[in-house]
Amino acid sequence: MSAYQKPLPVIDDHNRRYWAATREGRLELPRCDACGAFHTYFEPWCNACGHEGVHWEQLSGRGRIWANCRFHKVYFPGFETPYNVAMVELEEGPRLVTNIVGLEHGTLDEMPIGLAVEVVFDAVTPEVTLVKFKPAGKAAA
Amino acid sequence: MSLTSNRKDSVAVVGVGMTDFGKLPDHDATSLGIWALRNAAEDAGLTLKDIDGIAFHRLSDYQKFIQITSMSPRLLTVNPGAGRMLGGTLQIAVQAILSGMLDTVAVVYGNDGRTAGARYGGKEDRYGTSAEQLWFPYGMTSPGAIHAMAFQRHAALYGTTIEQLATISRTFRDHALLNPGAVMRKPISMQDYLDAPFICEPLRRLDYCLINDGGVAMILTSGERARDMRRKPVYLRGMAQLSRLAQGELPEDFGYATMQQVSGRVHEMAGVSREDVAALMIYDNFTPTVLFTLEGFGYCPRGEGGRFVEDGVLSLKGRYPTNTNGGHLSESYMQGWSLNVEAVRQVRGELGTRQVPEAGIVQYLQGGPLSTSVIYGREPS
């Protein structure tokens, strides 16, 4: 097996909790102590209400495809084109950029906007487990 | 409300200048900016020494610029490269004049992106909150991909089609045929469009702007002084901007709410309505932006952008001729500046075969999460 080539996140004090959770098969995000909004940036401030103070909470991992595209040009090493990228809106509100797995051909037609999806955890290196999604109710590829 | 301060005056463009566009390896961004400013000064009938201040955009080596031109500006400021910085650069120049601090200010843009091998996308491009953490591991990057996603959502919500995008691409390229300075001067058929390779599906190569080398400059002064200049002044009747960079780079509403506020303010300031506008210059880094911008600025109902453009409303014979120079898609990607120069030249009435008749009012529109609009007019407000 060749070494993993794609970009990896740099794990630091701000995001350590996120990547520790994914390694254990949980999707966790910071949630505002005051208004309850989830965030996808790892800062102590809420962009919904401005409150300072967040805690980490586990999400359901269920959501729907909110937007999609399919790259035909290589911007990063390790990606074989074409490959799909989606923005998934989770049940709890926040949106994550991700890849949709478990599709037959990986085309946009197979992953329409609005499609129900559920989280899968892809351990790409011993340190990093990426959050990806598959069509809900389908076995992961 | 008018674009006047306590000085009870207005601001006018009295000179515009551009370089050639294309691959210009003998010039760096500074050199391109100097070339453009020399042309603008000649256009205005001024020397570089008559210019009190310079607001630079993109070209960063102000020291070399000033050394080579032997200028002694009393205002010098540099904005970074993103196209959305056009508005702030222009605002600085306008405010310096309106406050009475300076008389004559140049805005100067220089871009050697083609020769320098500029890439939009990849690890050097930081679009989106925590892009390198949460986007790059999935291969998500580049402004084109953001627009591809936004278009897909627009299509899902409103039924917008690829053929409608193609209309935009084809219309602007038709305009470029009338512009000897345009980089891409070749008519394209629907089949040519559909045959172009995908870059980030559903967007094809012909949905993308053209990265090239080039420079653009405009010289502004007070309305009072402008009356004595060589050129008939073109007044900045209204100018508005709003930044709402929340939600990463993919706004919930295609920037609609932001643009609605900018639209309301710029028209109120200019004292003109959309009905008074003869031509539009729309920041077209990618074709979908044009749809979002037309909707955001109220030129068509929300969600109707695709149907609005499909019958040729943006063509020279249409109600709102748009990007008559070919836009970023066909002339060259000068991050809004050449569109502003085109607006000025339309108002002056000097564009020959691509001149819009009775172009007394022309509006520049820049959509996106940092939206700017400028309304140019033959008469002060």
Side-chain angles (χ1 to χ4, degrees), chain A residues 15 68 70 72 83 95 131, chain B residues 133 138-139 152 199 201 252:
Chain A
N15 62 32
N68 57 22
R70 192 172 185 228
H72 291 253
Y83 65 91
R95 296 181 198 132
V131 172
Chain B
Q133 298 297 329
Y138 303 97
Q152 285 290 85
I199 304 295
E201 194 179 340
E252 170 84 40

Side-chain angles (χ1 to χ4, degrees), chain B residues 112-151:
Chain B
D112 61 355
R114 178 144 176 216
T115 294
R119 282 169 59 91
Y120 294 85
K123 64 182 169 57
E124 302 307 320
D125 234 347
R126 294 284 186 272
Y127 282 88
T129 307
S130 304
E132 59 275 54
Q133 298 297 329
L134 295 177
W135 287 26
F136 291 177
Y138 303 97
M140 178 62 185
T141 184
S142 97
I146 292 162
H147 286 80
M149 276 200 183
F151 177 77

Side-chain angles (χ1 to χ4, degrees), chain A residues 7 9-10 15 18-19 40-42 66-76 79 83 85-87 95 97-99 108 113 130-132, chain B residues 119-123 129-130 132-142 145 148-149 152-153 156 198-202 208 247 250-252:
Chain A
V10 177
N15 62 32
Y18 179 85
W19 296 111
T40 55
Y41 55 87
F42 305 126
W66 193 81
N68 57 22
C69 68
R70 192 172 185 228
F71 282 78
H72 291 253
K73 175 179 167 172
V74 177
Y75 290 92
F76 298 110
F79 282 91
Y83 65 91
V85 177
M87 190 169 275
R95 296 181 198 132
V97 164
T98 187
N99 302 128
L108 295 181
I113 289 172
L130 294 179
V131 172
K132 296 183 179 176
Chain B
R119 282 169 59 91
Y120 294 85
K123 64 182 169 57
T129 307
S130 304
E132 59 275 54
Q133 298 297 329
L134 295 177
W135 287 26
F136 291 177
Y138 303 97
M140 178 62 185
T141 184
S142 97
M149 276 200 183
Q152 285 290 85
R153 191 156 171 78
F198 283 122
I199 304 295
C200 187
E201 194 179 340
Y208 280 61
Q247 301 161 328
L250 199 65
E252 170 84 40

Side-chain angles (χ1 to χ4, degrees), chain B residues 89-342:
Chain B
T89 308
L90 207 48
Q91 278 173 318
I92 289 166
V94 167
Q95 291 307 317
I97 294 164
L98 281 182
S99 70
M101 187 171 74
L102 300 178
D103 288 327
T104 305
V105 180
V107 290
V108 179
Y109 172 86
N111 178 358
D112 61 355
R114 178 144 176 216
T115 294
R119 282 169 59 91
Y120 294 85
K123 64 182 169 57
E124 302 307 320
D125 234 347
R126 294 284 186 272
Y127 282 88
T129 307
S130 304
E132 59 275 54
Q133 298 297 329
L134 295 177
W135 287 26
F136 291 177
Y138 303 97
M140 178 62 185
T141 184
S142 97
I146 292 162
H147 286 80
M149 276 200 183
F151 177 77
Q152 285 290 85
R153 191 156 171 78
H154 199 274
L157 289 173
Y158 303 118
T160 318
T161 68
I162 284 296
E163 287 73 18
Q164 290 164 343
L165 280 190
T167 301
I168 295 168
S169 182
R170 296 179 61 199
T171 301
F172 295 174
R173 282 185 174 82
D174 283 346
H175 294 169
L177 299 179
L178 306 174
N179 176 7
V183 169
M184 188 178 274
R185 299 185 71 213
K186 190 177 159 215
I188 53 170
S189 66
M190 184 62 80
Q191 199 56 49
D192 293 334
Y193 171 87
L194 294 171
D195 288 345
F198 283 122
I199 304 295
C200 187
E201 194 179 340
L203 300 188
R204 296 169 166 85
R205 184 174 287 158
L206 292 172
D207 293 304
Y208 280 61
C209 62
L210 306 173
I211 295 172
N212 277 291
D213 305 326
V216 185
M218 302 204 301
I219 299 173
L220 285 66
T221 192
S222 67
E224 191 185 351
R225 293 186 80 247
R227 283 188 278 280
D228 302 325
M229 297 265 179
R230 176 171 162 188
R231 287 281 181 185
K232 192 162 166 40
V234 174
Y235 296 92
L236 278 90
R237 300 210 18 165
M239 186 172 188
Q241 180 178 96
L242 190 71
S243 168
R244 192 165 170 274
L245 288 160
Q247 301 161 328
E249 294 281 332
L250 199 65
E252 170 84 40
D253 63 352
F254 312 99
Y256 184 81
T258 303
M259 287 186 272
Q260 284 278 291
Q261 289 189 53
V262 173
S263 177
R265 260 185 241 135
V266 75
H267 282 285
E268 186 188 357
M269 196 183 275
V272 297
S273 70
R274 284 184 284 274
E275 285 66 43
D276 301 315
V277 172
L280 299 173
M281 300 298 152
I282 302 180
Y283 193 99
D284 56 335
N285 46 353
F286 305 96
T287 50
T289 318
V290 176
L291 302 178
F292 309 154
T293 305
L294 288 164
E295 293 174 22
F297 281 88
Y299 279 93
C300 63
R302 193 170 184 183
E304 296 283 323
R307 282 175 285 282
F308 183 68
V309 302
E310 68 187 356
D311 292 328
V313 70
L314 306 185
S315 75
L316 274 169
K317 292 193 189 73
R319 169 60 187 91
Y320 288 110
T322 298
N323 295 6
T324 52
N325 58 350
H328 296 136
L329 293 173
S330 308
E331 187 195 51
S332 184
Y333 184 47
M334 290 292 112
Q335 297 185 292
W337 290 106
S338 59
L339 290 167
N340 279 267
V341 167
E342 183 77 0

